[in-house]
Amino acid sequence: MSGDSDCTRTSPSVGSPSDNEFLPDRPRYVCSLSPDLIAKAREELQEKPEWRLRDVQALRDMVCKDYPTLGTCLDDAFLLRFLRARKFDYDRALQLLVNYHSCRRSWPEVFNNLKPSAIKAVLASGFVTVLPHLDTEGRHVVCIRPDRWTPSNYPITENIRAIYLTLEKLIQSEETQVNGIVILADYKGVSLSKASHFGPFVAKKVIGILQFFLHGSDLNSLHQNLPQRILPEEYGGTSGKLDIAAWNELLLASEEDFLHDFSQLVLPGDSSPSEALVSGDAEEKQSEEPLRGMKPQLYYCY
Protein backbone atom coordinates (compact mmCIF):
# COMPACT_ATOMS: atom_id res chain seq x y z
CA MET A 1 0.00 0.00 0.00
CA SER A 2 1.53 3.30 -1.01
CA GLY A 3 1.50 6.45 1.07
CA ASP A 4 -0.06 8.37 -1.82
CA SER A 5 -3.14 6.20 -2.05
CA ASP A 6 -3.75 6.28 1.69
CA CYS A 7 -3.24 10.01 2.09
CA THR A 8 -5.45 10.98 -0.82
CA ARG A 9 -8.51 9.41 0.75
CA THR A 10 -11.05 11.83 2.14
CA SER A 11 -10.29 12.44 5.82
CA PRO A 12 -12.67 13.89 8.39
CA SER A 13 -11.76 17.15 10.05
CA VAL A 14 -9.68 17.08 13.22
CA GLY A 15 -11.87 16.88 16.26
CA SER A 16 -14.73 14.98 14.63
CA PRO A 17 -16.30 12.74 17.31
CA SER A 18 -16.89 9.91 14.83
CA ASP A 19 -13.71 9.83 12.74
CA ASN A 20 -13.82 6.09 12.16
CA GLU A 21 -17.30 6.21 10.66
CA PHE A 22 -15.82 7.94 7.61
CA LEU A 23 -13.11 5.31 7.14
CA PRO A 24 -14.84 1.97 6.50
CA ASP A 25 -11.69 0.42 4.99
CA ARG A 26 -9.64 1.15 8.09
CA PRO A 27 -9.92 -0.99 11.25
CA ARG A 28 -12.07 0.61 13.91
CA TYR A 29 -10.08 1.37 17.06
CA VAL A 30 -11.44 -0.19 20.24
CA CYS A 31 -9.61 0.63 23.46
CA SER A 32 -8.48 -2.49 25.35
CA LEU A 33 -7.03 -0.68 28.38
CA SER A 34 -8.38 -1.30 31.86
CA PRO A 35 -9.76 1.67 33.83
CA ASP A 36 -6.53 1.76 35.84
CA LEU A 37 -4.38 1.91 32.71
CA ILE A 38 -6.63 4.55 31.16
CA ALA A 39 -6.01 6.64 34.27
CA LYS A 40 -2.27 5.92 34.10
CA ALA A 41 -2.13 6.92 30.44
CA ARG A 42 -3.95 10.15 31.23
CA GLU A 43 -1.54 11.01 34.04
CA GLU A 44 1.76 9.85 32.54
CA LEU A 45 1.23 10.11 28.78
CA GLN A 46 -1.20 13.04 28.57
CA GLU A 47 -3.69 10.74 26.84
CA LYS A 48 -7.29 11.92 27.09
CA PRO A 49 -9.79 9.26 25.93
CA GLU A 50 -12.28 11.91 24.86
CA TRP A 51 -9.64 13.46 22.54
CA ARG A 52 -7.90 10.26 21.43
CA LEU A 53 -9.35 9.98 17.93
CA ARG A 54 -8.96 13.70 17.38
CA ASP A 55 -5.27 13.42 18.23
CA VAL A 56 -4.82 10.42 15.94
CA GLN A 57 -6.49 12.26 13.09
CA ALA A 58 -4.26 15.28 13.68
CA LEU A 59 -1.16 13.10 13.31
CA ARG A 60 -2.63 11.42 10.23
CA ASP A 61 -3.25 14.82 8.64
CA MET A 62 0.35 15.89 9.40
CA VAL A 63 1.72 12.74 7.75
CA CYS A 64 -0.38 13.29 4.64
CA LYS A 65 0.58 16.94 4.40
CA ASP A 66 4.30 16.76 5.18
CA TYR A 67 5.22 13.21 4.08
CA PRO A 68 2.68 12.12 1.46
CA THR A 69 5.00 9.39 0.09
CA LEU A 70 6.00 7.94 3.45
CA GLY A 71 4.16 4.69 2.72
CA THR A 72 3.16 4.19 6.33
CA CYS A 73 0.18 2.48 7.88
CA LEU A 74 -2.33 5.13 8.95
CA ASP A 75 -4.63 2.99 11.08
CA ASP A 76 -5.71 4.51 14.38
CA ALA A 77 -4.04 1.82 16.51
CA PHE A 78 -0.73 2.12 14.66
CA LEU A 79 -0.50 5.92 14.89
CA LEU A 80 -1.55 5.80 18.52
CA ARG A 81 1.68 3.93 19.32
CA PHE A 82 3.72 6.95 18.25
CA LEU A 83 1.54 9.46 20.07
CA ARG A 84 1.86 7.50 23.30
CA ALA A 85 5.63 7.19 22.87
CA ARG A 86 5.90 10.99 22.70
CA LYS A 87 3.19 11.87 25.23
CA PHE A 88 0.83 13.13 22.53
CA ASP A 89 3.20 15.81 21.30
CA TYR A 90 2.20 15.86 17.62
CA ASP A 91 5.52 17.15 16.26
CA ARG A 92 7.65 14.69 18.21
CA ALA A 93 5.31 11.81 17.35
CA LEU A 94 5.59 12.68 13.67
CA GLN A 95 9.39 12.80 13.88
CA LEU A 96 9.44 9.42 15.60
CA LEU A 97 7.25 7.94 12.85
CA VAL A 98 9.53 9.37 10.18
CA ASN A 99 12.61 8.00 11.97
CA TYR A 100 10.88 4.63 12.26
CA HIS A 101 10.66 4.41 8.47
CA SER A 102 14.03 6.06 7.84
CA CYS A 103 15.80 3.34 9.81
CA ARG A 104 14.06 0.65 7.79
CA ARG A 105 14.95 2.19 4.47
CA SER A 106 18.59 2.75 5.44
CA TRP A 107 19.21 -0.79 6.76
CA PRO A 108 17.77 -3.26 4.21
CA GLU A 109 19.90 -6.17 5.43
CA VAL A 110 17.88 -6.05 8.65
CA PHE A 111 14.42 -5.20 7.38
CA ASN A 112 14.13 -7.11 4.11
CA ASN A 113 12.21 -10.39 4.48
CA LEU A 114 11.66 -9.59 8.16
CA LYS A 115 9.45 -12.25 9.72
CA PRO A 116 9.73 -14.69 12.65
CA SER A 117 10.33 -17.76 10.48
CA ALA A 118 13.44 -16.06 9.04
CA ILE A 119 15.16 -15.85 12.46
CA LYS A 120 14.53 -19.36 13.78
CA ALA A 121 18.25 -19.94 14.34
CA VAL A 122 18.52 -16.90 16.61
CA LEU A 123 15.45 -17.90 18.59
CA ALA A 124 16.76 -21.45 19.01
CA SER A 125 20.08 -20.11 20.33
CA GLY A 126 18.40 -18.26 23.18
CA PHE A 127 20.02 -14.96 22.20
CA VAL A 128 16.76 -13.11 22.90
CA THR A 129 13.66 -14.14 24.82
CA VAL A 130 10.92 -12.66 27.00
CA LEU A 131 10.51 -13.66 30.64
CA PRO A 132 7.11 -15.19 31.46
CA HIS A 133 6.23 -12.76 34.26
CA LEU A 134 5.64 -8.99 34.26
CA ASP A 135 7.48 -6.72 36.67
CA THR A 136 5.75 -4.67 39.38
CA GLU A 137 5.01 -1.90 36.86
CA GLY A 138 3.28 -4.30 34.47
CA ARG A 139 6.21 -4.35 32.02
CA HIS A 140 7.50 -7.30 29.98
CA VAL A 141 11.16 -8.13 30.53
CA VAL A 142 13.18 -8.88 27.39
CA CYS A 143 16.37 -10.85 28.06
CA ILE A 144 19.28 -10.51 25.60
CA ARG A 145 22.30 -12.82 25.94
CA PRO A 146 25.09 -12.11 23.43
CA ASP A 147 27.14 -15.03 24.80
CA ARG A 148 24.62 -17.37 23.14
CA TRP A 149 25.61 -16.14 19.69
CA THR A 150 28.28 -17.92 17.64
CA PRO A 151 29.48 -15.45 14.95
CA SER A 152 30.40 -18.24 12.53
CA ASN A 153 26.77 -19.43 12.47
CA TYR A 154 25.13 -16.24 11.18
CA PRO A 155 25.84 -12.49 10.96
CA ILE A 156 25.10 -10.05 13.77
CA THR A 157 22.28 -8.51 11.78
CA GLU A 158 20.23 -11.67 12.42
CA ASN A 159 20.42 -10.91 16.15
CA ILE A 160 19.20 -7.38 15.52
CA ARG A 161 16.32 -8.72 13.44
CA ALA A 162 15.32 -11.01 16.32
CA ILE A 163 15.45 -8.18 18.86
CA TYR A 164 13.39 -5.96 16.61
CA LEU A 165 10.69 -8.57 15.96
CA THR A 166 10.47 -9.34 19.68
CA LEU A 167 9.96 -5.70 20.60
CA GLU A 168 7.59 -5.10 17.72
CA LYS A 169 5.44 -8.02 18.85
CA LEU A 170 5.32 -6.75 22.44
CA ILE A 171 4.50 -3.16 21.50
CA GLN A 172 1.40 -4.29 19.63
CA SER A 173 -0.21 -4.55 23.07
CA GLU A 174 -1.79 -1.35 24.39
CA GLU A 175 -0.81 -2.37 27.91
CA THR A 176 2.84 -2.42 26.82
CA GLN A 177 2.48 0.94 25.09
CA VAL A 178 1.39 2.45 28.42
CA ASN A 179 3.58 0.48 30.83
CA GLY A 180 6.76 0.18 28.73
CA ILE A 181 9.35 -2.58 28.34
CA VAL A 182 12.38 -3.59 30.38
CA ILE A 183 15.43 -4.96 28.56
CA LEU A 184 17.94 -7.07 30.44
CA ALA A 185 21.10 -7.49 28.35
CA ASP A 186 23.66 -9.85 29.87
CA TYR A 187 27.19 -9.34 28.53
CA LYS A 188 28.74 -11.87 30.90
CA GLY A 189 31.12 -14.19 29.07
CA VAL A 190 31.29 -12.08 25.91
CA SER A 191 34.85 -12.17 24.55
CA LEU A 192 36.62 -9.14 23.10
CA SER A 193 36.51 -10.70 19.64
CA LYS A 194 32.74 -11.14 19.86
CA ALA A 195 32.26 -7.70 21.39
CA SER A 196 33.99 -6.18 18.38
CA HIS A 197 30.95 -7.16 16.30
CA PHE A 198 28.90 -4.78 18.46
CA GLY A 199 30.83 -1.72 17.32
CA PRO A 200 29.62 1.90 17.56
CA PHE A 201 28.06 1.79 14.10
CA VAL A 202 25.87 -1.20 14.90
CA ALA A 203 25.06 0.10 18.38
CA LYS A 204 24.04 3.47 17.01
CA LYS A 205 21.83 1.85 14.38
CA VAL A 206 20.08 -0.30 16.99
CA ILE A 207 19.53 2.60 19.36
CA GLY A 208 18.23 4.71 16.49
CA ILE A 209 15.59 2.05 15.87
CA LEU A 210 14.65 1.26 19.44
CA GLN A 211 15.21 4.64 21.21
CA PHE A 212 16.59 3.08 24.44
CA PHE A 213 18.36 4.61 27.40
CA LEU A 214 20.98 2.28 28.88
CA HIS A 215 22.14 2.18 32.49
CA GLY A 216 25.00 0.01 33.76
CA SER A 217 23.96 -2.29 36.57
CA ASP A 218 25.00 -5.24 38.72
CA LEU A 219 22.79 -7.97 40.14
CA ASN A 220 22.22 -6.17 43.45
CA SER A 221 20.92 -3.03 41.81
CA LEU A 222 19.03 -5.17 39.32
CA HIS A 223 17.07 -6.74 42.17
CA GLN A 224 16.18 -3.28 43.39
CA ASN A 225 14.40 -2.69 40.08
CA LEU A 226 13.19 -6.16 39.18
CA PRO A 227 11.81 -8.47 41.90
CA GLN A 228 13.59 -11.78 42.29
CA ARG A 229 10.27 -13.63 42.02
CA ILE A 230 10.05 -12.81 38.26
CA LEU A 231 13.73 -13.45 37.46
CA PRO A 232 15.17 -16.84 36.49
CA GLU A 233 17.81 -18.56 38.60
CA GLU A 234 20.53 -17.35 36.22
CA TYR A 235 19.99 -13.80 37.53
CA GLY A 236 19.51 -14.61 41.19
CA GLY A 237 15.76 -15.07 40.84
CA THR A 238 13.30 -17.62 42.14
CA SER A 239 11.16 -18.34 39.05
CA GLY A 240 13.09 -21.41 37.94
CA LYS A 241 15.44 -21.94 35.01
CA LEU A 242 15.27 -19.58 32.05
CA ASP A 243 12.93 -21.17 29.48
CA ILE A 244 12.96 -19.85 25.91
CA ALA A 245 10.42 -22.26 24.41
CA ALA A 246 7.20 -20.41 25.27
CA TRP A 247 8.27 -17.09 23.75
CA ASN A 248 9.70 -18.75 20.65
CA GLU A 249 6.40 -20.53 20.00
CA LEU A 250 4.38 -17.35 20.50
CA LEU A 251 6.54 -15.27 18.17
CA LEU A 252 6.66 -17.90 15.45
CA ALA A 253 2.88 -18.23 15.64
CA SER A 254 2.51 -14.52 14.81
CA GLU A 255 3.97 -14.80 11.30
CA GLU A 256 0.83 -13.46 9.64
CA ASP A 257 0.84 -10.32 11.78
CA PHE A 258 4.25 -9.32 10.47
CA LEU A 259 3.45 -10.18 6.88
CA HIS A 260 0.53 -7.75 7.12
CA ASP A 261 2.45 -5.01 8.95
CA PHE A 262 5.49 -4.97 6.68
CA SER A 263 3.58 -5.34 3.44
CA GLN A 264 2.66 -1.68 3.89
CA LEU A 265 6.20 -0.35 4.18
CA VAL A 266 8.07 1.24 1.28
CA LEU A 267 11.56 -0.24 1.33
CA PRO A 268 14.71 0.60 -0.72
CA GLY A 269 14.06 0.52 -4.44
CA ASP A 270 10.55 1.93 -4.13
CA SER A 271 9.56 5.39 -5.27
CA SER A 272 9.87 7.16 -1.93
CA PRO A 273 13.30 8.85 -1.58
CA SER A 274 15.08 8.08 1.68
CA GLU A 275 16.76 11.50 1.56
CA ALA A 276 13.46 13.04 2.63
CA LEU A 277 13.53 11.06 5.87
CA VAL A 278 16.72 12.31 7.50
CA SER A 279 16.43 12.46 11.28
CA GLY A 280 16.55 15.85 12.98
CA ASP A 281 19.45 17.02 15.16
CA ALA A 282 17.51 16.49 18.36
CA GLU A 283 16.77 12.84 17.59
CA GLU A 284 20.37 12.30 16.48
CA LYS A 285 21.70 13.55 19.81
CA GLN A 286 19.19 11.36 21.59
CA SER A 287 20.57 8.33 19.74
CA GLU A 288 24.21 9.18 20.50
CA GLU A 289 23.78 9.83 24.20
CA PRO A 290 23.24 6.21 25.37
CA LEU A 291 26.44 5.07 23.61
CA ARG A 292 28.59 6.90 26.13
CA GLY A 293 27.37 4.66 28.92
CA MET A 294 27.81 1.28 27.24
CA LYS A 295 30.11 -1.17 29.07
CA PRO A 296 30.66 -4.95 28.75
CA GLN A 297 28.50 -5.88 31.74
CA LEU A 298 24.87 -6.44 32.68
CA TYR A 299 22.54 -3.65 31.57
CA TYR A 300 19.19 -2.62 32.90
CA CYS A 301 17.29 -0.73 30.23
CA TYR A 302 13.94 0.98 30.37
Side-chain angles (χ1 to χ4, degrees), residues 67 83 87 92 100 103 111 122 168 225 242 245-246 260 277:
Y67 298 94
L83 286 166
K87 298 186 177 181
R92 295 180 66 226
Y100 177 92
C103 287
F111 292 100
V122 183
E168 188 78 9
N225 292 282
L242 181 60
H260 169 73
L277 302 175

Side-chain angles (χ1 to χ4, degrees), residues 283-300:
E283 295 288 345
E284 184 72 12
K285 291 178 181 177
Q286 202 172 38
S287 295
E288 291 176 354
E289 188 65 28
L291 293 174
R292 301 191 182 103
M294 294 188 71
K295 297 179 181 179
Q297 55 179 316
L298 188 68
Y299 285 91
Y300 176 71

Side-chain angles (χ1 to χ4, degrees), residues 58-96:
L59 179 57
R60 183 182 293 119
D61 289 343
M62 292 173 71
V63 173
C64 293
K65 177 179 180 293
D66 298 334
Y67 298 94
T69 61
L70 186 60
T72 187
C73 173
L74 292 176
D75 293 348
D76 292 342
F78 182 77
L79 294 179
L80 191 54
R81 288 164 47 174
F82 296 88
L83 286 166
R84 285 172 171 155
R86 290 296 179 261
K87 298 186 177 181
F88 283 77
D89 182 313
Y90 295 167
D91 292 328
R92 295 180 66 226
L94 176 62
Q95 185 61 59
L96 183 62

Side-chain angles (χ1 to χ4, degrees), residues 204-233:
K204 186 173 182 179
K205 282 274 196 176
V206 173
I207 292 169
I209 294 169
L210 306 179
Q211 298 295 315
F212 287 147
F213 295 89
L214 312 183
H215 302 273
S217 175
D218 57 27
L219 284 177
N220 290 328
S221 61
L222 174 67
H223 295 159
Q224 293 175 9
N225 292 282
L226 293 177
Q228 289 178 272
R229 62 177 175 78
I230 75 166
L231 291 171
E233 295 174 5

